[in-house]
Amino acid sequence: MTPNITAAKTALSHLDVEENPHAIRTASRDFFWYSPVLKARMDHLLADFVVRPRNEAEVIEILKVCYEHDVPVTTRGAGTGNYGQAMPMRGGCVMHLVYMNQVTSCEPGRVVVQPGCLLKDLDAHCIAHCGHELRMFSSTWATATVGGFVAGGSGGVGSVTWGQLRDLGNIIRLRVVTMEAEPRVLEFRGEELARVSHAYGTNGIITELELPLAPAYDWVHCFVATKDFAAAMDCAEGLANEDGVLLKIASVYEAPVAKSYFQRVSPHVAEDDALVGLMVAPQSMDALVTFLTRRPELSLIYRSDDTDWPRNPGLVFEYGWNHTTLRALKFDPSITYLQVRYAYPDHNALIEKMRATFPGEVLQHLEAIRVNGKVSFAGLSLVKFTTEERLDEIIRIHEDAGAQIFNPHRYTLEEGGRQHSDQRQLSFKKEADPKGLLNPGKMISFDTPDWDYAKIYDYPSMTPKEA
Amino acid sequence: MTPNITAAKTALSHLDVEENPHAIRTASRDFFWYSPVLKARMDHLLADFVVRPRNEAEVIEILKVCYEHDVPVTTRGAGTGNYGQAMPMRGGCVMHLVYMNQVTSCEPGRVVVQPGCLLKDLDAHCIAHCGHELRMFSSTWATATVGGFVAGGSGGVGSVTWGQLRDLGNIIRLRVVTMEAEPRVLEFRGEELARVSHAYGTNGIITELELPLAPAYDWVHCFVATKDFAAAMDCAEGLANEDGVLLKIASVYEAPVAKSYFQRVSPHVAEDDALVGLMVAPQSMDALVTFLTRRPELSLIYRSDDTDWPRNPGLVFEYGWNHTTLRALKFDPSITYLQVRYAYPDHNALIEKMRATFPGEVLQHLEAIRVNGKVSFAGLSLVKFTTEERLDEIIRIHEDAGAQIFNPHRYTLEEGGRQHSDQRQLSFKKEADPKGLLNPGKMISFDTPDWDYAKIYDYPSMTPKEA
Ligand SMILES: Cc1cc2nc3c(=O)[nH]c(=O)nc-3n(C[C@H](O)[C@H](O)[C@H](O)COP(=O)(O)OP(=O)(O)OC[C@H]3O[C@@H](n4cnc5c(N)ncnc54)[C@H](O)[C@@H]3O)c2cc1C
Ligand SMILES: Cc1cc2nc3c(=O)[nH]c(=O)nc-3n(C[C@H](O)[C@H](O)[C@H](O)COP(=O)(O)OP(=O)(O)OC[C@H]3O[C@@H](n4cnc5c(N)ncnc54)[C@H](O)[C@@H]3O)c2cc1C
């Protein structure tokens, strides 16, 4: 099955096809370089051409033509994914959804939108038109698309209240195009949503999303400092458990993350200060102050609605989730990270144990999240990278202690997830992408069903480095 | 300290004073008769006169005049309280806030309102003016006032999401008038709110409230039936733990409550059907259906947005909270109830234990609520009343098993609560009501500081029955 690139390009030449090599290279890359492991393996990957559909009809046409000519199609939102999700593993076509960015309709509680809309633009539209906003978004809100978030992300800012994208009710409907001789257009709701959400575009292209909205508030961005890491955890978790207090994010940073990596916060904290980042609805600010007054070990050092900091630190969520790693990387390029899940109710003890295990090597960064109605922590620990072996060892020590790892140094769905195949995604891929052309190499169970996860998966058909 | 009723009436005669005996009797009573215990003790209570202030200045004048003449003042919202909270224990003045019913301002997330506004009118105003609604309300929404809810209630519809009124953030500000020679007007926020919330108007009169709002949705009212009581509990609790599903209420009714007492539901259920009552936001209805499809033992027998029931069952919340008792009472006047708290995480086992202990005598009615971030159940169990002794025994058996009882057969704050004095409320009463004229007899710790709770408290200065 050799792709006929030339034939596909010719057939699509009336569309917006990009052939400039520099632009193709840019559109072939995402934030994979966050991971030294992925950087070593994926840096050379390159699409043959990029095409930018203007509407669903053009998406269908591209998929049909590429199917006919056996050309792989890797869909791109904004390319902010950090596991190489949007990178063409064996060349072919990158389909860039930048033009499909319209909000179709919005009302309190609900929006219908095209996949290429930036999260930031979507929020602005909804706030202006119906006083509501997205329940949750990735911290790449300013640059990422809503389609990329649902296809490639999992949750983030807002998950402290709403749980994660995969939870019932956080996606209402997805419209999906398949890659067959005659592409089909399907509408998924309820149980079917799991087929294509967080499937990296391996089994269908999302052309429209219907999402629930939450009321928009003029969130107050806050920082709380404390000398005591346990008190910082207790602050984030305690507030998240205050049912009457509206939060959008509650992040915890071990010392000296704030001093070392948060440039505009640094003048206001000491080396030994742990930090809590919060977004609180204005009508909950009194409650926040009351909560803090009960805990004298915590000090509110910043609130965006009343501050004398000479330099605005910006949006608190741009310190949280994966942005923490980004900020740390700027100061120390040897830093990478882990994604950890500390499950309720033993999360705090487990975190303290991990904290004690890797002094100087792993720094705790936690995000309070709701999982099945209980508040616990997701960890996006900062790791001082030395070797792949040591990184794997750190992961193993976490797993042995009972912490679940979602490995961000892997490009497959399975390895970045729970290390086993998702039968719903797999069986839909067999049906919707019979030639295996959609974002190839990202679903192990499709390519190598008997894989045993003993070591890192190397996609056999990946474009070789020399190429 | 003998009250000079005549002098007070004369001094207030330019206000709206009610002297019609029938009207006075009506304004002296609330839903105390729910309890056979209170009915036996309070039926004779009567105010000397009723006055209806039009604004805060008149409230101040009434309190000042009554203070001068040693006349007790019992404040009345709508008199839907069911522990005799609004009943004048030793006569005097009933101050009825019916005219103080204006919404001062509202914006998304926040409302300022006078105490006499009905919950229903307040919601209608907020929905019309800013698309938001009350976070929580008592099931007497259609008839009760917001001031009475905050001064006399604890939570209810909405508590499955927002916890209770006492939780941080569920009240923003209260404006309070004291009963002194020169009444003071105070503004309470944060920690100070606990002084007067749920204090039955014993230590200050609330003249303005600032409350947080939640987005208003066109809630879908639903009933789910199942043969299995444990499945009904799991339905309510499981849904309340779905972080992406918006609920306003999740009630559980043991069989045959629905068949026996819910007239318009009765034709659609069998004798052995347990029932779950739900209010679900429209954008969460797909998620509800998905949730139910995963549990074949549950059937959605009613959804208000798509129904063929010939007779509209009305608002689901008017089956829940204390309305369950009301509906049961109509069919069986011997029924009364208990208020139970089953604490997380052992709530389900404890409920099953209590259910097994009183067959035919106690029927389980549960309301899913959030307490410190965890979902568990409040019980408003239906009790077939025989004697006061047996009722006390049933209570003791619950307490011995580890269930907390908020005794609804007592008229004091302490006995209806945690059986100990609230120092914040007590010390504020000493300061704000030095003569002890505000709703006398309702705070044991003020009248009889050394009370030991061994038996039911009998207020020594209560108007005697013969009077
Ligand atoms: C600094 C930083 C912070 C981050 N924070 C978070 C966070 O808080 N939470 C989080 O979940 N992620 C986070 N991420 C990961 C990523 O940014 C988000 O998931 C983001 O929303 C992806 O959007 P995108 O438009 O960039 O998608 P892309 O990277 O372009 O695509 C992501 C995946 O989805 C597929 N895809 C894109 N559009 C479609 C479509 N229409 N149909 C089918 N498949 C499609 C792509 O093929 C790819 O596999 C972060 C990344 C960085 C670098
Ligand atoms: C069928 C039924 C269902 C109920 N359901 C619930 C429920 O779900 N949740 C719940 O919490 N309660 C419930 N209740 C109890 C009661 O109805 C509510 O608490 C209700 O909100 C009280 O409002 P009201 O205006 O009737 O107050 P009232 O009964 O008039 O007053 C209640 C108390 O507050 C005091 N008070 C009133 N206004 C003021 C003021 N401005 N300043 C100071 N003190 C004041 C009164 O003196 C009295 O002590 C229920 C009762 C019944 C009969």
Side-chain angles (χ1 to χ4, degrees), chain A residues 30-31 34 74-82 85-86 97 115 119 137-140 143-145 147-149 151-157 200-201 204-207 321-323 326 439:
Chain A
D30 62 14
F31 278 65
Y34 249 53
T74 302
T75 304
R76 182 179 185 83
T80 69
N82 51 293
Q85 294 114 301
L97 302 181
L119 293 163
F137 50 77
S138 60
S139 63
T140 46
T143 52
T145 68
F149 179 48
S154 52
V157 190
Y200 293 179
I205 305 311
I206 301 166
T207 53
W321 291 93
N322 255 339
H323 270 74
L326 192 62
N439 205 359

Side-chain angles (χ1 to χ4, degrees), chain B residues 35-41 336 338 383-396 407 409-410 455-458 465:
Chain B
S35 160
V37 179
L38 299 181
K39 175 109 169 94
R41 283 164 177 77
T336 188
L338 285 183
V383 180
K384 194 109 185 144
F385 182 75
T386 48
T387 64
E388 283 194 25
E389 292 65 41
R390 177 57 183 164
L391 190 59
D392 287 343
E393 192 175 35
I394 294 172
I395 290 175
R396 219 197 43 248
N407 195 335
H409 305 284
R410 300 290 184 266
K455 57 183 179 59
I456 182 169
Y457 180 70
D458 246 320
K465 267 204 184 174

Side-chain angles (χ1 to χ4, degrees), chain B residues 56-57 59-65 67 176-186 432:
Chain B
E56 187 184 82
V59 169
I60 293 170
E61 186 178 353
I62 294 164
L63 294 174
K64 188 177 156 77
V65 164
Y67 179 89
V176 174
V177 179
T178 65
M179 190 170 187
E180 301 170 87
E182 292 301 333
R184 286 174 294 155
V185 181
L186 305 169

Side-chain angles (χ1 to χ4, degrees), chain A residues 255-365:
Chain A
V257 170
K259 187 73 193 171
S260 302
Y261 306 133
F262 293 175
Q263 213 164 354
R264 296 202 177 176
V265 179
S266 190
H268 309 279
V269 293
E271 189 77 15
D272 61 349
D273 271 325
L275 192 76
V276 180
L278 300 167
M279 284 168 70
V280 181
Q283 68 270 36
S284 296
M285 281 304 289
D286 274 3
L288 172 69
V289 170
T290 308
F291 178 94
L292 295 176
T293 308
R294 291 179 185 171
R295 290 168 179 74
E297 65 281 10
L298 302 171
S299 10
L300 183 60
I301 60 169
Y302 174 75
R303 52 185 287 179
S304 58
D305 62 345
D306 180 12
T307 174
D308 55 5
W309 284 19
R311 301 190 68 198
N312 185 342
L315 304 168
V316 158
F317 72 76
E318 290 186 347
Y319 292 78
W321 291 93
N322 255 339
H323 270 74
T324 316
T325 319
L326 192 62
R327 287 183 190 263
L329 269 171
K330 284 191 187 153
F331 286 85
D332 180 352
S334 80
I335 283 207
T336 188
Y337 83 120
L338 285 184
Q339 289 178 176
V340 196
R341 186 63 56 79
Y342 304 101
Y344 179 87
D346 304 315
H347 47 298
N348 290 339
L350 191 51
I351 291 165
E352 288 291 10
K353 186 168 170 190
M354 289 303 97
R355 198 162 86 93
T357 307
F358 309 101
E361 189 176 17
V362 178
L363 275 174
Q364 295 299 322
H365 156 213

